[in-house]
Amino acid sequence: MPTTTDLDGLGLDTGGHLLVGHALEQLSPGDQLTVTGRHPALAVHLAAWCRDQGHRFDGGDQLVITKGAAGQQRWHGAVRAGDPAGPPDQAADQRWGLAARGALVETGGPPIGAEWADRDHVWADIAPRLYAAAAAAQWDPATAVDWSAQVHLPEAAEHAVVQIMTYLVENEQAALIIPARLLSKIHPHFREVMQLLATQAADEARHVEIFSRRAMLGGGPLGTSSAGGRASLQTLLTEPDFTTASFLLSVLGEGTFVDLLRFVHRHAPDPVTADVTRLALRDEARHVAFGVAHTAHAARADPGYLGLLRQAVERRHAALLDTAGLNNVVFDALVLLAAGSWEPEAISRGFAAVQQLQQAMDQGRRRRLAFIGFPPGEAAELSALHTRNFM
Ligand SMILES: [Fe+2]
Ligand SMILES: [Fe+2]
């Protein structure tokens, strides 16, 4: 049965191709479609369009298109890139490339070449919820901190705060680079992890800003950066495996940092120091939550992973054996911060508080290591091997 579509005055160059294409969609290869219309260049345009689309065209008294098979062949072998709502597939196909999860993917595009295309290498079931929480919890450094608050500390206290802030900034810079590097190598099929790491990098960018700003608030120079501290962070930057990097940075490093930030917040001598540590603390809790959940996921999927994680801790410990670990002026600044004055009794209290902090850090690491699947004895051993630089 002959089929006709009427374009009226519509030209093929101003949308008429949609009507012709829509009419052809209903037909099978070899079927004919007659096109009518008043546009003066209709026959010329149809001839060119049909050539391009792989249809035969006869432009006699009537304009007749015979449908070609090219359109169907083009989508032959096309596959769905998983389910858009998730959960993501176990193995993401490199040939899906940048296609949206759930899209019908035409064959022949460039493969993405993602380093991690296996779900267990990057995933945690909590990732979509953590991403939603992170997106909802973004704050503005300009207004979330009352920068106009009075900060007139005695010189020694200001000096201690500035030293701690200087140290925090260098740690935050490592914490910014690592998720940015990891997310660039994940298959985009695991988009919630990619999105979560993007918010994590944005969080760290803000932490760099607020700690730098607090350090500069008093108008004095910044504190010192030790070679040992930087060496410790540098080992994190080069960790090639996603799970191991996430484990070392988020489970052990940021996990330890949560206790540190809580400590500085509790002993903050001014409202700005209290604000900046409170804001960072809130974000860090999410970073730790993902690291722990993902590492536990990877260890459940492959119990052999615990051995690899253990080796990573031992390797890092060996690499840092000759370094001093924590900048001693940072340690002293923490003591002074908790002491609040130069009185011997206060310093003694401050010293005890920093020792308690280190115990709390150790307990926190052991708890997280046990959650991931390490037996308690091994968790204690690994916690003890963690860098003295905290991160
Ligand atoms: Fe941070
Ligand atoms: Fe973080």
Side-chain angles (χ1 to χ4, degrees):
M1 194 182 98
T3 310
T4 301
T5 193
D6 182 24
L7 301 189
D8 197 17
L10 190 62
L12 218 61
D13 53 348
T14 51
H17 71 284
L18 287 170
L19 291 175
V20 178
H22 180 64
L24 283 168
E25 262 173 36
Q26 332 291 324
L27 305 180
S28 303
D31 288 353
Q32 293 193 327
L33 174 72
T34 303
V35 181
T36 57
R38 291 180 285 107
H39 192 279
L42 185 57
V44 178
H45 287 169
L46 268 179
W49 185 82
C50 285
R51 231 181 359 259
D52 186 52
Q53 301 287 315
H55 306 301
R56 211 181 77 210
F57 177 67
D58 297 304
D61 292 346
Q62 286 194 316
L63 308 180
V64 179
I65 299 172
T66 307
K67 181 171 176 169
Q72 283 184 344
Q73 277 162 4
R74 181 176 170 199
W75 295 104
H76 181 76
V79 289
R80 289 275 167 202
D83 181 347
D89 288 14
Q90 181 64 48
D93 195 322
Q94 301 281 2
R95 292 169 299 181
W96 294 344
L98 291 165
R101 193 163 72 211
L104 183 63
V105 184
E106 183 183 5
T107 58
I112 186 91
E115 193 125 344
W116 299 297
D118 185 302
R119 187 174 63 194
D120 293 335
H121 275 143
V122 299
W123 189 249
D125 290 335
I126 200 177
R129 270 174 291 147
L130 277 178
Y131 168 64
Q138 299 290 301
W139 41 270
D140 179 358
T143 55
V145 179
D146 180 9
W147 296 107
S148 67
Q150 292 295 312
V151 179
H152 295 302
L153 303 182
E155 199 186 332
E158 177 65 15
H159 194 76
V161 169
V162 168
Q163 178 56 61
I164 292 166
M165 292 296 146
T166 305
Y167 161 81
L168 289 177
V169 170
E170 89 185 21
N171 283 270
E172 296 294 349
Q173 291 183 156
L176 162 57
I177 290 169
I178 295 158
R181 183 173 66 86
L182 295 180
L183 91 82
S184 71
K185 295 177 178 179
I186 295 177
H187 196 300
H189 182 66
F190 308 106
R191 67 174 161 82
E192 293 90 345
V193 176
M194 201 171 60
Q195 290 167 299
L196 179 61
L197 291 176
T199 58
Q200 186 168 330
D203 292 342
E204 309 299 11
R206 283 195 310 259
H207 301 172
V208 169
E209 178 184 343
I210 58 176
F211 293 150
S212 295
R213 254 176 108 164
R214 172 60 191 91
M216 293 186 293
L217 211 55
L222 257 64
T224 60
S225 163
S226 74
R230 294 199 310 279
S232 178
L233 295 174
Q234 195 87 17
T235 58
L236 294 175
L237 299 189
T238 48
E239 185 54 56
D241 177 63
F242 182 96
T243 302
T244 310
S246 172
F247 172 68
L248 292 176
L249 172 70
S250 297
V251 178
L252 296 178
E254 291 175 313
T256 301
F257 244 61
V258 162
D259 287 312
L260 176 66
L261 292 170
R262 207 176 277 137
F263 179 90
V264 178
H265 178 72
R266 190 184 315 131
H267 297 289
D270 63 88
V272 174
T273 300
D275 274 355
V276 294
T277 45
R278 173 182 52 82
L279 288 163
L281 192 51
R282 229 169 55 189
D283 293 338
E284 291 306 333
R286 278 194 311 273
H287 308 169
V288 176
F290 176 70
V292 170
H294 165 61
T295 314
H297 175 101
R300 262 198 316 274
D302 175 9
Y305 232 106
L306 292 178
L308 294 178
L309 297 176
R310 185 195 172 97
Q311 282 169 22
V313 173
E314 289 169 343
R315 223 173 25 243
R316 188 170 181 222
H317 177 74
L320 295 174
L321 213 50
D322 296 333
T323 66
L326 184 67
N327 186 345
N328 58 344
V329 298
V330 174
F331 183 89
D332 294 348
L334 291 171
V335 172
L336 199 60
L337 192 76
S341 90
W342 287 104
E343 293 300 317
E345 196 199 334
I347 295 291
S348 161
R349 233 185 8 249
F351 194 87
V354 173
Q355 285 194 315
Q356 269 170 25
L357 165 65
Q358 286 170 307
Q359 279 163 18
M361 288 169 160
D362 177 50
Q363 279 162 12
R365 282 194 299 268
R366 285 156 68 161
R367 201 177 52 243
R368 285 184 278 272
L369 287 162
F371 179 85
I372 288 165
F374 287 102
E378 205 174 340
E381 272 175 58
L382 290 182
S383 174
L385 293 179
H386 182 62
T387 172
R388 283 165 293 168
N389 183 55
F390 300 153
M391 180 104 106

PDB file of all heavy atoms in Angstrom, residues 204 254 284 287, ligand 2:
ATOM      1  N   GLU A 204      37.538  19.544  49.430  1.00  0.00           N
ATOM      2  CA  GLU A 204      38.939  19.775  49.800  1.00  0.00           C
ATOM      3  C   GLU A 204      39.412  21.138  49.302  1.00  0.00           C
ATOM      4  O   GLU A 204      40.218  21.805  49.966  1.00  0.00           O
ATOM      5  CB  GLU A 204      39.847  18.671  49.251  1.00  0.00           C
ATOM      6  CG  GLU A 204      39.422  17.231  49.558  1.00  0.00           C
ATOM      7  CD  GLU A 204      39.348  16.885  51.042  1.00  0.00           C
ATOM      8  OE1 GLU A 204      39.416  17.793  51.884  1.00  0.00           O
ATOM      9  OE2 GLU A 204      39.200  15.684  51.359  1.00  0.00           O
ATOM     10  N   GLU A 254      42.253  10.219  56.385  1.00  0.00           N
ATOM     11  CA  GLU A 254      41.152  11.118  56.744  1.00  0.00           C
ATOM     12  C   GLU A 254      40.462  10.648  58.021  1.00  0.00           C
ATOM     13  O   GLU A 254      39.955  11.464  58.798  1.00  0.00           O
ATOM     14  CB  GLU A 254      40.168  11.235  55.580  1.00  0.00           C
ATOM     15  CG  GLU A 254      40.770  11.981  54.394  1.00  0.00           C
ATOM     16  CD  GLU A 254      39.860  12.021  53.175  1.00  0.00           C
ATOM     17  OE1 GLU A 254      39.309  10.966  52.815  1.00  0.00           O
ATOM     18  OE2 GLU A 254      39.706  13.104  52.589  1.00  0.00           O
ATOM     19  N   GLU A 284      34.598  15.753  56.070  1.00  0.00           N
ATOM     20  CA  GLU A 284      35.517  14.615  56.187  1.00  0.00           C
ATOM     21  C   GLU A 284      34.787  13.337  56.597  1.00  0.00           C
ATOM     22  O   GLU A 284      35.157  12.241  56.189  1.00  0.00           O
ATOM     23  CB  GLU A 284      36.639  14.912  57.189  1.00  0.00           C
ATOM     24  CG  GLU A 284      37.628  15.969  56.742  1.00  0.00           C
ATOM     25  CD  GLU A 284      38.257  15.686  55.388  1.00  0.00           C
ATOM     26  OE1 GLU A 284      38.357  14.521  54.993  1.00  0.00           O
ATOM     27  OE2 GLU A 284      38.628  16.661  54.711  1.00  0.00           O
ATOM     28  N   HIS A 287      33.824  11.620  53.550  1.00  0.00           N
ATOM     29  CA  HIS A 287      34.959  11.032  52.815  1.00  0.00           C
ATOM     30  C   HIS A 287      35.370   9.704  53.470  1.00  0.00           C
ATOM     31  O   HIS A 287      35.660   8.728  52.794  1.00  0.00           O
ATOM     32  CB  HIS A 287      36.151  11.998  52.801  1.00  0.00           C
ATOM     33  CG  HIS A 287      35.795  13.375  52.311  1.00  0.00           C
ATOM     34  ND1 HIS A 287      36.643  14.451  52.419  1.00  0.00           N
ATOM     35  CD2 HIS A 287      34.674  13.855  51.710  1.00  0.00           C
ATOM     36  CE1 HIS A 287      36.057  15.519  51.912  1.00  0.00           C
ATOM     37  NE2 HIS A 287      34.864  15.183  51.477  1.00  0.00           N
TER      38      HIS A 287
HETATM   39 FE    FE B   2      38.712  14.733  52.921  1.00  0.00          FE
END
